[in-house]
Amino acid sequence: MCERSVLIKAVLEVWSSGQSHDEAVQSAVAQGPAVRTQRREFLAAPKTLQVRVEAFGRTRSMEEKREILDIWKPIFDGDETVDLHAPDTILWALEEHGHISEEKTHLGPRTTEPRRVFFGRQVAGGRSVDKKLKDGEKAFYQRYDLSQRAVLGPTTLENELAFIMANCALAQAGKCGMDPFCGTGGLLVALSHFGVRLFGGEIDIRVVRGWAIAYTKNKEAVDEAARKRGLATAATSEASATAITTATATTAATATATATTAAAAVAFAVAATAKPSASDTMLGAERETKSASGLGLDYLRSFAAYLCSIGLQIEGLEPTTEPPAEVEPTTTTPTAPTTTKKPKHPNQAKKQVKDFALTNAGGLNVFTNFVQYGNTPPDVVVCDNSMSPYRKVPQGWLDCIVTDPPYGVRAASKKSGRDPNRRQVEIRDVGSYIPSKVSYGEDELSHDLLGTAADALRDGGRIVFLVPVDLADFLGIDRAASELREGCAEKETLRAMAYPKDGRPKKDPRLCISETTRDPLLLDETRYLDFIPRHSALELKGASLQVLSGGLARLLVTMARLPRER
């Protein structure tokens, strides 16, 4: 259980319990010499031990913990050896305080007395309680910590929550799972750890191909993933791109000084952009187009067009404001991100070269993290969830759907469509055309998501997703009256509420709620039903609330597909 769980802290063998520490000590001593002798097996030398004082529902100071340790002295013989770094035995003095409390944490620490006290030996450690121990066993999910992950996106889901959702979905090897809003694949990484066969859907092609959305968190991991995939590393691509830029991109001030160098480099770059002749084709493998830097002509062709698109002059090529034609990417020659903006500052040009190099290295797409961890990558479809591209199977084809839909706060919620109030656009090239997008309402998104789950899930299959909640609505607080300044219109969306254009309004102290709140209104699960979308073919299995900042929260919802009629 501890090897799989994320939230279990420890499994304890209870030695004694009571309403207070004194009562629990008396209970332990009263159990007699035979029981005491049995416990000496875990406490006597050469065994080492550590005693942890923990309180659930309240925070204890170090001074209070020392006083509690003094209370437990009677159960020891005095010859035990303490080791705080790598003990053989871990003992817990555990307090349980009321789960629901009217006391507000932002007003100060709780002062309640414990309801029950337990004392026992740790049989198995879970979560990351042993992470500070020298030889402590780390939790399995720490391997996927975001601080060490190769590629992240602006809304990558936190690692622990991703694995909690995977557990709620009963993820295991041999099952099929999908995230219809996969983004950079944070949830898919968690599912892949358990051996799930993965599918993903994403409307933004830039995210899938790694264009300008994701960013590199662990450069060493990106380079290692590139080497495994047979691609140029980010460092090599950047160095080569910088060298080509230096040789070919000239300004009025340096045109004369670099004319000779540029002539030779441009001749090569222009040749790379030209169509291959018959003699070129006959060269076959010898003409596999590797330059001295290890980059192919396809790379130089796309890069030369990219330089022109951002306003850099290349002899032999006319500058253009039109974006370069999109080249169908392969595993070895990804295309450059297109842009029509001319860099206003030298540092901006350097960043564009660096971004282009990272893209060419294959280091920013959704598959890099799977290569980093050696997990099976997903099959990702660039599609719109409002118009599902998946064929309906009578008995379903998925075992689980795990997703974090865009709320419209940090990530815009969009679907394919066109604003009727904007001018019509003539589509000249269907192959390179990217459809326009319009706002995707929360209710409509939830309706489409649950509809997809009802169609695609097998009987008993689970869907696990997050639902945004405005705590003002949850608690019955009139945010418009208490938070908005005079003259401001009432906020209609979560994003408008969280990021008002006219500046953040004064916070309502009633919405300054701790993540560890035990407010009865927030812990009453029956009240969650009003905020959870429903579907007649899906059964609600459970929901839990996570309090966020800014008066926002989100519900983790788990549903199961009801059996179909035979």
Side-chain angles (χ1 to χ4, degrees):
M1 290 176 62
C2 287
E3 288 178 355
R4 174 73 187 240
S5 174
V6 178
L7 297 178
I8 291 178
K9 297 198 70 172
V11 176
L12 307 181
E13 176 190 60
V14 178
W15 285 1
S16 67
S17 62
Q19 297 298 318
S20 65
H21 288 281
D22 291 323
E23 184 177 329
V25 169
Q26 294 173 8
S27 174
V29 173
Q31 291 173 1
V35 175
R36 191 181 185 97
T37 301
Q38 292 177 358
R39 292 172 181 165
R40 288 284 294 173
E41 176 186 349
F42 304 103
L43 304 179
K47 298 284 187 179
T48 59
L49 64 91
Q50 176 192 20
V51 181
R52 291 178 175 172
V53 178
E54 296 287 345
F56 283 87
R58 179 182 172 181
T59 300
R60 288 288 190 182
S61 65
M62 289 303 300
E63 182 179 351
E64 290 174 327
K65 290 182 178 181
R66 283 193 293 267
E67 294 175 355
I68 292 173
L69 287 175
D70 290 337
I71 298 175
W72 283 99
K73 283 183 178 179
I75 73 165
F76 300 105
D77 290 348
D79 59 348
E80 293 83 4
T81 303
V82 175
D83 186 348
L84 300 181
H85 297 285
D88 298 311
T89 301
I90 300 178
L91 303 176
W92 287 63
L94 183 63
E95 294 182 353
E96 179 194 359
H97 291 259
H99 185 60
I100 299 177
S101 173
E102 296 289 351
E103 292 186 87
K104 307 297 182 181
T105 54
H106 68 277
L107 300 178
R110 295 188 175 94
T111 59
T112 57
E113 293 299 321
R115 296 171 57 185
R116 292 187 297 176
V117 171
F118 299 91
F119 189 84
R121 176 179 68 91
Q122 176 175 306
V123 176
R127 197 170 165 81
S128 54
V129 295
D130 294 337
K131 65 181 180 180
K132 295 183 180 179
L133 302 182
K134 183 178 180 181
D135 299 323
E137 183 178 355
K138 304 299 186 294
F140 70 93
Y141 53 82
Q142 289 184 347
R143 173 176 177 247
Y144 300 92
D145 192 85
L146 296 187
S147 63
Q148 300 300 319
R149 191 168 294 182
V151 176
L152 295 179
T155 59
T156 299
L157 192 66
E158 56 185 297
N159 189 46
E160 291 187 17
L161 182 55
F163 277 96
I164 291 172
M165 295 177 70
N167 281 340
C168 291
L170 307 180
Q172 58 182 324
K175 289 189 174 183
C176 293
M178 183 178 72
D179 181 357
F181 305 95
C182 67
T184 51
L187 277 167
L188 294 179
V189 168
L191 291 172
S192 69
H193 171 82
F194 300 111
V196 178
R197 181 72 174 90
L198 297 173
F199 300 89
E202 175 57 46
I203 193 173
D204 194 339
I205 191 174
R206 299 176 302 167
V207 176
V208 178
R209 294 190 177 183
W211 292 349
I213 300 298
Y215 60 92
T216 300
K217 182 66 175 180
N218 186 338
K219 293 184 179 179
E220 292 76 10
V222 171
D223 285 345
E224 180 61 27
R227 282 189 286 268
K228 290 180 180 178
R229 301 164 73 180
L231 303 175
T233 64
T236 303
S237 296
E238 183 180 352
S240 302
T242 303
I244 296 172
T245 305
T246 304
T248 60
T250 60
T251 61
T254 60
T256 304
T258 61
T260 303
T261 304
V266 167
F268 186 70
V270 172
T273 60
K275 295 183 178 180
S277 63
S279 59
D280 290 336
T281 305
M282 293 174 61
L283 290 176
E286 296 181 5
R287 188 89 171 155
E288 200 169 16
T289 66
K290 292 285 184 180
S291 68
S293 64
L295 299 176
L297 290 183
D298 286 336
Y299 173 93
L300 296 175
R301 183 182 299 112
S302 59
F303 187 62
Y306 172 65
L307 292 177
C308 288
S309 72
I310 63 175
L312 298 179
Q313 297 179 0
I314 300 180
E315 297 181 18
L317 289 180
E318 292 296 329
T320 177
T321 58
E322 296 294 329
E326 184 178 356
V327 181
E328 183 65 20
T330 66
T331 55
T332 57
T333 58
T335 58
T338 59
T339 178
T340 57
K341 293 183 179 180
K342 185 175 181 179
K344 298 180 180 180
H345 191 275
N347 289 338
Q348 185 179 353
K350 292 179 181 179
K351 183 180 184 302
Q352 291 175 337
V353 170
K354 183 176 181 180
D355 291 343
F356 177 82
L358 285 172
T359 302
N360 245 303
L364 294 182
N365 60 49
V366 300
F367 306 103
T368 302
N369 293 330
F370 297 88
V371 178
Q372 175 190 4
Y373 298 120
N375 297 348
T376 302
D379 294 321
V380 178
V381 179
V382 180
C383 62
D384 183 354
N385 182 68
S386 67
M387 296 177 283
S388 178
Y390 306 107
R391 179 165 55 94
K392 291 186 179 181
V393 179
Q395 300 305 319
W397 59 282
L398 285 174
D399 295 293
C400 62
I401 295 177
V402 185
T403 187
D404 176 20
Y407 312 148
V409 180
R410 295 181 61 194
S413 181
K414 298 289 186 179
K415 67 175 182 178
S416 297
R418 180 170 298 281
D419 188 345
N421 297 323
R422 303 186 65 177
R423 67 179 181 86
Q424 297 297 315
V425 176
E426 180 183 356
I427 303 175
R428 298 181 179 179
D429 184 1
V430 178
S432 61
Y433 173 71
I434 298 178
S436 61
K437 301 176 181 63
V438 295
S439 180
Y440 197 7
E442 297 172 18
D443 294 338
E444 185 181 3
L445 186 153
S446 299
H447 177 272
D448 293 340
L449 176 61
L450 296 186
T452 299
D455 292 337
L457 287 176
R458 297 188 178 101
D459 292 353
R462 293 195 170 192
I463 175 173
V464 182
F465 61 104
L466 298 173
V467 177
V469 175
D470 183 355
L471 287 179
D473 296 335
F474 198 94
L475 298 175
I477 297 175
D478 186 358
R479 183 187 289 273
S482 63
E483 198 172 79
L484 300 179
R485 291 191 295 233
E486 184 177 356
C488 295
E490 183 176 354
K491 306 302 181 183
E492 298 180 352
T493 65
L494 287 175
R495 178 173 178 81
M497 180 274 295
Y499 302 103
K501 294 182 180 180
D502 56 348
R504 184 175 295 278
K506 183 179 179 181
K507 291 184 178 179
D508 188 331
R510 294 173 294 177
L511 296 177
C512 296
I513 301 172
S514 168
E515 292 184 6
T516 59
T517 181
R518 284 173 169 76
D519 190 313
L521 291 177
L522 298 179
L523 295 179
D524 183 3
E525 297 184 4
T526 60
R527 304 182 71 248
Y528 300 168
L529 299 178
D530 295 335
F531 300 89
I532 298 176
R534 307 301 293 270
H535 193 285
S536 59
L538 300 173
E539 177 188 10
L540 179 64
K541 288 294 185 179
S544 57
L545 184 72
Q546 180 187 22
V547 177
L548 305 174
S549 60
L552 297 179
R554 56 188 176 187
L555 288 167
L556 192 162
V557 181
T558 302
M559 293 181 173
R561 181 59 167 91
L562 292 172
R564 293 172 171 84
E565 295 183 1
R566 302 298 180 183

